[in-house]
Amino acid sequence: MSVFNVASVPATPIVVGFSGGLDSSVLLHLLANRPQATAPLRAIHIHHGLHPDADAWAKHCQDICAALGVDLVIVNVSVPRDGGKGLEAAAREARYAAFSEQLRCGEMLALAHHRDDQAETILLRLLRASASEGLSAMRATRSFADGVLWRPLLAIPRTDLQTYAETYRLKWIEDPSNTDDRLDRNFLRQRVLPTLKQRWPQATAALARSADLLAEDAALLREEAGKRLAQAQGLDPATLSVAALCESSTPWRARVLRVWIDALAMPPLPGAAFAIIEKQLLAARADAEPEYRWSGHVLRRWRGLLHVETARPALPTDWRMDWNGSEPLLLPTGDHLHLVGAGMAAIPGFATATSMAARSIAAMPGPTMYFVSARHGGERITQSGRGHTQALKKILQELGIPPWERERLPLLFAADGELLAAGDLVISQRLTRSGMRLSWGRA
C-alpha cells in the first residue's frame, strides 16, 4: 500500500524533516522502503525543548531511524517565548532556520505537509487578508537554502496517512500541544474544519484546489509584473524609474514593487507600506528626497528614480581621525580606507613597503601624515588637469552621487589641510602625481 507514487521520487539526495509524529513517520517509512532507491536518504529531528518529553521524542526518532537504516541528525534549537511573534511562529522560524543550516548543497528537504494542512493554511491566510500570492498557500516544491523543499504528500488527505500508518503498524508520537485549541491552527483543525466537512465533505479538497488555481493566477500576475518591472528598471537593478512605474495603475505598482524587492532578496514590504510609498514617494515633488524605511532597509526617491538598499549609517559630522596611511583605517560606518601607492598593491602597509613604494611616498609633496573626516560643506579640491580648485559639492552633483552616499563619504586631507581625496570618487592632482590613490571599501 502507498499513499503516493514512490516511482516519482527524484534521484536526488533526500533529507526528511522527522518530528516523529504520524505524518512525518509515514513519509519517512515510504521513502525508506521505496524500491530501487539510488539516492541517499537521511533525516533531521528538530529538538525544540518546549515539552518535558522532548528528550524522549528525540530518542524515539533515533530508534525509528535505526530500525529503518536511516542516518539521523538531531538539532537543538532555542525558541524565544517573548519575541512578539507567538510560540507557533517562533518555533516554526527556528525550525526552518535549522533546516536551512543543515541542508547540504543539492539536497531535497522532504516535509510531510498534507492536504488538510493546506486547507488550514488557506483559512489562516484568508483570515489575515492575504492576496492571491499568499492564498496560493504551500507549494509542492520550491527553492530552499542550497537545495529544494519538497512536499510529496500535499495532495493526500490525512485520513489516508492514518490508514497507511495503521496498516504498517507504525509507531508515532502524539504531541499533546496539538490538542490545544488556543493555537490558531489547532482551533481550525479541531473546530472549524470538522464543521465544514459535516456540511461539505469535500471541503479540504475544494480549498486545496482553490490554492492550486490561485497559484496559477499568482504566477500569471507575477509574470506580467516582471515585464513591467523590466520596463521600469535601469542598468542598476536597485533602481526604478518613477515615470515608468507610474504608467501602471496603483495595484500594478504595488505588485511591481513586491516583485522588485523580492528579486533583490530583501525583506517583504509591509502591507501598509504601499499607501505610504504612493503618497510620500511617488507623489512627491521632483526636488524632494523622501524615504521609507523597513526591516533594516530603505527606499528613497531621487532624481526621478526609486533607490533601494540596506540602510547604512552616515559618517558622524564631528568625527575626525589622524592617520599615517600605513594600515587600513576602519571608519565608524564599518567602511575601510586603504592608501595604495605605486608598487604597493600587494603590500599590507607602509611599514613593510619596498624601497619602490617608499620612493613613491617620498615623491608626494608635503608631509606624509594625514587626517580623515566627514564632509562639513565648503570643501574644495584641485583635480588633475585643472589649474584651480572646485567646490567638492558641485563635483559630486555632476557625478550623480546621491545625497545619502555623500553623507558616508570620507575625506582624506594632508596634514597641511589640503583635500586629497573624497573617498575613491574624487582624487586630487596632488595625490595623483604622487602615484597614490585612496581605496574606499564599503561595508
Side-chain angles (χ1 to χ4, degrees):
M1 176 184 178
S2 175
V3 296
F4 81 108
N5 183 10
V6 293
S8 66
V9 176
T12 301
I14 298 172
V15 53
V16 176
F18 185 41
S19 68
L22 183 144
D23 308 336
S24 63
S25 296
V26 169
L27 178 59
L28 183 64
H29 188 268
L30 277 164
L31 293 175
N33 289 281
R34 67 195 192 279
Q36 300 178 341
T38 57
L41 174 70
R42 65 190 186 99
I44 296 177
H45 174 76
I46 307 300
H47 190 312
H48 298 89
L50 296 174
H51 191 274
D53 292 333
D55 289 339
W57 295 345
K59 179 61 168 60
H60 166 87
C61 291
Q62 284 180 319
D63 293 342
I64 296 297
C65 286
L68 292 171
V70 175
D71 290 338
L72 174 70
V73 175
I74 296 176
V75 181
N76 292 280
V77 298
S78 177
V79 180
R81 295 175 180 268
D82 54 356
K85 299 178 180 179
L87 196 58
E88 275 184 293
R92 181 184 184 280
E93 187 173 290
R95 184 163 59 252
Y96 276 81
F99 285 146
S100 178
E101 291 176 1
Q102 292 292 321
L103 196 65
R104 299 167 187 164
C105 184
E107 271 189 328
M108 182 173 279
L109 174 64
L111 300 181
H113 296 114
H114 47 75
R115 194 170 73 186
D116 294 56
D117 292 325
Q118 182 78 301
E120 293 163 10
T121 300
I122 296 166
L123 290 174
L124 280 172
R125 294 186 180 179
L126 275 169
L127 293 167
R128 293 168 184 166
S130 297
S132 57
E133 192 78 34
L135 292 175
S136 59
M138 295 182 284
R139 287 175 280 173
T141 58
R142 67 174 175 86
S143 297
F144 180 76
D146 291 328
V148 175
L149 191 154
W150 179 43
R151 298 183 176 98
L153 307 181
L154 204 54
I156 309 300
R158 192 175 189 275
T159 52
D160 285 9
L161 304 186
Q162 181 84 35
T163 301
Y164 181 97
E166 292 171 352
T167 300
Y168 286 95
R169 298 181 180 179
L170 303 186
K171 296 179 180 178
W172 64 88
I173 296 165
E174 291 288 357
D175 185 345
S177 69
N178 290 336
T179 62
D180 184 359
D181 62 13
R182 291 174 299 178
L183 302 177
D184 292 342
R185 190 173 287 274
N186 289 347
F187 182 84
L188 290 174
R189 182 179 303 142
Q190 295 171 29
R191 297 197 183 189
V192 176
L193 279 172
T195 302
L196 290 175
K197 289 178 181 178
Q198 286 178 2
R199 180 63 181 262
W200 297 283
Q202 299 302 313
T204 56
L207 286 168
R209 177 57 181 155
S210 291
D212 291 339
L213 294 173
L214 285 164
E216 293 176 6
D217 291 345
L220 291 172
L221 290 169
R222 193 172 184 85
E223 181 181 350
E224 176 61 24
K227 294 177 182 177
R228 296 179 185 231
L229 172 61
Q231 294 171 354
Q233 211 162 16
L235 294 177
D236 182 354
T239 64
L240 284 186
S241 164
V242 172
L245 182 63
C246 287
E247 290 178 2
S248 296
S249 64
T250 301
W252 271 116
R253 289 198 287 268
R255 190 168 289 276
V256 169
L257 287 172
R258 285 193 192 96
V259 172
W260 180 42
I261 296 301
D262 182 59
L264 294 172
M266 294 182 176
L269 286 163
F274 301 101
I276 297 172
I277 293 168
E278 283 284 333
K279 183 178 180 180
Q280 298 183 7
L281 276 74
L282 298 184
R285 300 189 319 272
D287 61 345
E289 298 175 5
E291 64 179 40
Y292 175 79
R293 292 177 179 266
W294 87 104
S295 301
H297 292 73
V298 59
L299 178 66
R300 301 181 176 96
R301 174 173 175 165
W302 185 67
R303 290 193 175 182
L305 296 175
L306 292 181
H307 300 253
V308 67
E309 66 173 10
T310 302
R312 299 180 296 169
L315 198 60
T317 55
D318 60 350
W319 179 81
R320 170 178 164 152
M321 180 68 68
D322 291 333
W323 186 39
N324 65 12
S326 64
E327 298 291 339
L329 178 65
L330 176 64
L331 305 181
T333 55
D335 298 350
H336 289 81
L337 289 183
H338 301 256
L339 196 57
V340 182
M344 294 175 56
I347 300 173
F350 290 1
T352 58
T354 63
S355 58
M356 180 179 179
R359 287 195 298 273
S360 173
I361 299 167
M364 181 176 178
T368 58
M369 292 293 292
Y370 318 97
F371 67 88
V372 182
S373 76
R375 292 180 62 225
H376 295 98
E379 295 90 358
R380 301 183 69 83
I381 190 168
T382 303
Q383 295 178 281
S384 294
R386 297 182 181 270
H388 58 86
T389 65
Q390 287 181 290
L392 178 61
K393 178 179 179 180
K394 182 178 179 181
I395 296 173
L396 294 174
Q397 288 175 337
E398 291 174 350
L399 290 174
I401 308 302
W404 57 91
E405 192 77 358
R406 297 178 219 160
E407 292 175 355
R408 295 175 57 85
L409 189 64
L411 304 186
L412 176 69
F413 293 87
D416 60 11
E418 181 178 345
L419 177 59
L420 301 177
D424 53 9
L425 304 176
V426 185
I427 307 299
S428 73
Q429 178 175 270
R430 180 175 172 181
L431 193 63
T432 301
R433 285 179 176 175
S434 73
M436 299 170 64
R437 62 184 175 84
L438 187 66
S439 175
W440 177 25
R442 280 74 154 177

